[in-house]
Structure formats: C-alpha cells, structure tokens
Amino acid sequence: MKKFYPDAMTATVPVLERETFASRLLTWYDQHGRHDLPWQQDRTPYRVWVSEIMLQQTQVTTVIPYFERFMARFPDVASLAEASQDEVLHLWTGLGYYARGRNLHKAAQVVMAEHDGRFPVDSLEAMAQLPGIGRSTAGAIIAQSTGQRAVILDGNVKRVLTRLQAVEGWPGRPAVERELWQLAEHYTPHDRVVDFTQAMMDLGATLCRRGQPDCPRCPFHDVCLAHASGEQRRFPESKPKKTTPLRTTRMLLLRDAGGRVLLELRPSTGLWGGLWSLPQFDNDQDLGRWLDEHAPAAERGTPQTSFTHVFSHFRLEITPVPASVEHMDSVSEGWRWYDPQTPDSVGLAAPVKKLLQTLSPFTLSPPAGP
C-alpha cells in the first residue's frame, strides 16, 4: 500500500482506502447514527455554527435544551449580533467555558459588519478567522451546512483515528496533530460529506468512547490496530500530567435591607470574563478593607463552609463571606444590586449561581422562550 503523505517525517500507512473507509462508516451511520438532532433540521450555517460551538467540550444531551432556547431567542445571526453580551451569557449560564459565548457574540457581530450577514462558507480560511472558530470547527460548519468537502478533526475524530492507526503520542503535540490531519484528509470522501462528518463524530461519541469503547459493534474492529493489540484504552495517549494548583478566594455575599445581593462585572478576558460575580478577594484583610471603604456600616457574618470549583488548569477553593448593610451609596458602573426573587437576565459565574440559589426558592434557569 502506498504511503500517505510520503514527504512527512511521521507518515502513516492508512489501514483502508478512502472509499472503503467511507462505505463502511456510512453503512453503519445509516443504521445506527444520530439523525434527529435539532441542528440537523433546517441546516443553515448559523444553526450549525451555534451547535458546533456549544458542542465543544460539552455532551449532546446537555447541549440540546440550551440550543433550543438559544434558537428561540436568537433565530438568526442578526438578532444575536444586536443582543447585549449580558443576555447572551445569561442563556449560556451553565454550559461553562464562557469564552465560547463571548466569542459567539463577537463572531456574529463580525459576520454582520464584515460579511453582510452571511457566513463565508466558501472559504475555510475566512471561516477559521472568525472569533472562536478554528480549523476543525470551520470545516464542520462548511461540511454540515453546505455539503462541500471539508475535513474535521475534533476530539471524537482524534480518538477514532488514533485507535484505528495506533498513533503514538498525545494528540495535542503539533507533530501528532499534523499526522492526524493527514489521516483525516485521506479518509474524508468527496460524496455524502454531511453524513460522513456527522458519522465520524457519532462513532467517537457512541462507540469509540474514551473510557469504554464498544469494539465489537465498531465497523472497523477488524482493521483497528489498537484493538488488534488489545490496547484500545491506551489510545489516544493522555496529556502529560501536571500538578493541578489550588487557588483560594473569598467571595463577599453582601445583601442590603431588601435582600438584594451586590455583584461585580468581571473583566472581559480572563476568569469568568464578562460574567457577573460576587466581589472576590485574595484574603480576609483585603475583603475587610473593601468593606471599610465602601460599606463601613456593614455587619460581617461568619464565613461559610468552603467549596471547590474545578477548572481545566486549576482548582479554586471558594469561601463565601456573608455580610449585610442597610444601604449603600449608589453603586458605580460595573456593579449592580441583584434581586434573587426577580433575577435579571445576566450571565452568572457557575459558583455564583450556585450560591445565589441557596438564598431563596427561585430558579436561575434560562427562560424557555424569547
């Protein structure tokens, strides 16, 4: 068999020809794939784009209700571009990885301002330059919404290909990722591209799972190199482990006489960028100095039990510190009083939402409609 990309230093010999691979995969997909996901109905670049961004790092079952609420409120790119960031992030609350929501909003504004409200689906490069859209996501949007041949390499596809070809090394390494792109290019057909790209994602999500791959039902179990060696769970190799650092913070839970809670707007970038949070402090001394300056009449309560919120690169130990004040001078820009009884449509950091839900019997779930 001819080597694929013979000039590459880490060229890999594909286990199947393109046509054979696609035929096997599509036969499996026609019988066992997912055909009734909400974004598969009325496929437009906008709907596919929103679904692809939401599906990054998030499971389908979690995404579906968020997608449906999002479409009800923002049925097209123009309505999304015109919305406030607060409203967008409010509907994103609970999905996590909030930079996705901010970039979604920014990309909608770019599409309206620079592309006359139309996604540049004729150009992979132009799509990949939109905020929050990389090479694989751009390919998925183009393939899924237009049927043009475009190659994808999301987490599911990486897992399928690393096992199928027994590709050594962590897929996040540039050399390994280049090898996987070459394989993805080799296997992607010119026909039925919409179904093929969905089938690759479905195969990784439903059979070639991370922890418990269902090899006997896989259409490639007889040619999968990882399965042949009994090492399917070893692939793909994990990212080299580093000690996850622990950070600590104090969150001020300051309430006024009406039961409202003081919130601050986080900077647009960084941790919880653009979301509303409780005021945070590195230590009790800083918190105390802030109260002395801004709410000297406040009564400070006993700190509540700490809890840990886990991020991808560190753990944050949060200690809520309750306090109450009869009144304060009007709060400046970037601050607001938030009434838990009648919650505003604003984006909230996940642990803040968790704390606010303990104050009163109300729901912070995004609204069901516009």
Side-chain angles (χ1 to χ4, degrees), residues 3-183:
K3 276 199 173 183
F4 168 59
Y5 281 80
D7 295 332
M9 292 181 63
T10 56
T12 296
V13 180
V15 298
L16 290 173
E17 297 294 343
R18 174 183 294 158
E19 293 76 12
T20 305
F21 181 89
S23 176
R24 285 193 183 197
L25 180 65
L26 290 169
T27 297
W28 170 83
Y29 174 74
D30 289 341
Q31 297 178 4
H32 306 290
R34 296 178 290 194
H35 304 275
D36 56 356
L37 298 173
W39 44 88
Q40 292 176 316
Q41 321 307 317
D42 185 23
R43 291 181 193 262
T44 65
Y46 173 71
R47 288 172 62 84
V48 172
W49 164 61
V50 172
S51 71
E52 286 295 325
I53 300 301
M54 286 186 170
L55 287 166
Q56 293 171 354
Q57 308 291 329
T58 310
Q59 294 184 347
V60 167
T61 52
T62 300
V63 166
I64 288 175
Y66 280 89
F67 177 83
E68 291 176 336
R69 285 191 291 262
F70 209 86
M71 287 298 109
R73 175 58 187 89
F74 306 119
D76 51 42
V77 68
S79 58
L80 177 57
E82 292 169 359
S84 69
Q85 180 175 274
D86 265 344
E87 189 173 11
V88 174
L89 292 180
H90 174 65
L91 285 174
W92 204 272
T93 297
L95 268 179
Y97 300 95
Y98 291 94
R100 296 181 299 168
R102 295 194 301 273
N103 284 329
L104 198 80
H105 191 218
K106 292 176 186 174
Q109 295 173 332
V110 171
V111 168
M112 293 302 298
E114 300 181 13
H115 299 283
D116 297 322
R118 297 173 62 87
F119 284 86
V121 290
D122 291 331
S123 169
L124 181 68
E125 292 73 21
M127 283 295 300
Q129 288 175 5
L130 293 174
I133 300 180
R135 178 180 175 184
S136 181
T137 301
I141 296 167
I142 291 171
Q144 291 281 303
S145 65
T146 72
Q148 300 176 61
R149 184 179 185 273
V151 182
I152 66 170
L153 190 68
D154 70 352
N156 286 313
V157 178
K158 287 180 179 179
R159 190 161 56 253
V160 169
L161 294 179
T162 53
R163 285 173 173 166
L164 179 71
Q165 300 286 162
V167 177
E168 300 282 352
W170 174 52
R173 287 179 48 211
V176 179
E177 188 171 35
R178 283 196 298 272
E179 185 175 359
L180 293 173
W181 272 113
Q182 292 168 0
L183 288 166

Side-chain angles (χ1 to χ4, degrees), residues 11 40 48 80 95 101 105 110-111 124 139 151 154 191 233 261 278 283 290 303-304 309 319 325 338:
Q40 292 176 316
V48 172
L80 177 57
L95 268 179
H105 191 218
V110 171
V111 168
L124 181 68
V151 182
D154 70 352
D191 300 319
R233 293 189 186 181
V261 181
L278 296 169
N283 50 58
W290 188 92
Q304 298 176 1
H309 188 75
T319 303
V325 65
Y338 184 92

Side-chain angles (χ1 to χ4, degrees), residues 292-362:
D292 289 342
E293 179 179 353
H294 297 281
E299 294 186 10
R300 184 170 163 182
T302 303
Q304 298 176 1
T305 302
S306 301
F307 64 95
T308 302
H309 188 75
V310 180
F311 294 89
S312 58
H313 54 295
F314 71 95
R315 293 175 297 129
L316 183 65
E317 184 181 79
I318 299 169
T319 303
V321 180
S324 60
V325 65
E326 285 295 319
H327 68 275
M328 281 178 61
D329 293 336
S330 59
V331 295
S332 58
E333 185 178 356
W335 297 81
R336 71 188 301 153
W337 286 107
Y338 184 92
D339 187 352
Q341 297 291 348
T342 55
D344 299 328
S345 296
V346 297
L348 296 168
V352 173
K353 174 182 175 180
K354 178 180 177 180
L355 285 170
L356 292 175
Q357 285 176 320
T358 68
L359 299 180
S360 299
F362 74 101

Side-chain angles (χ1 to χ4, degrees), residues 186-208:
H186 167 79
Y187 285 125
T188 302
H190 292 274
D191 300 319
R192 291 192 65 186
V193 179
V194 173
D195 290 340
F196 178 86
T197 52
Q198 185 64 54
M200 285 294 286
M201 293 185 282
D202 284 3
L203 185 67
T206 64
L207 291 188
C208 198

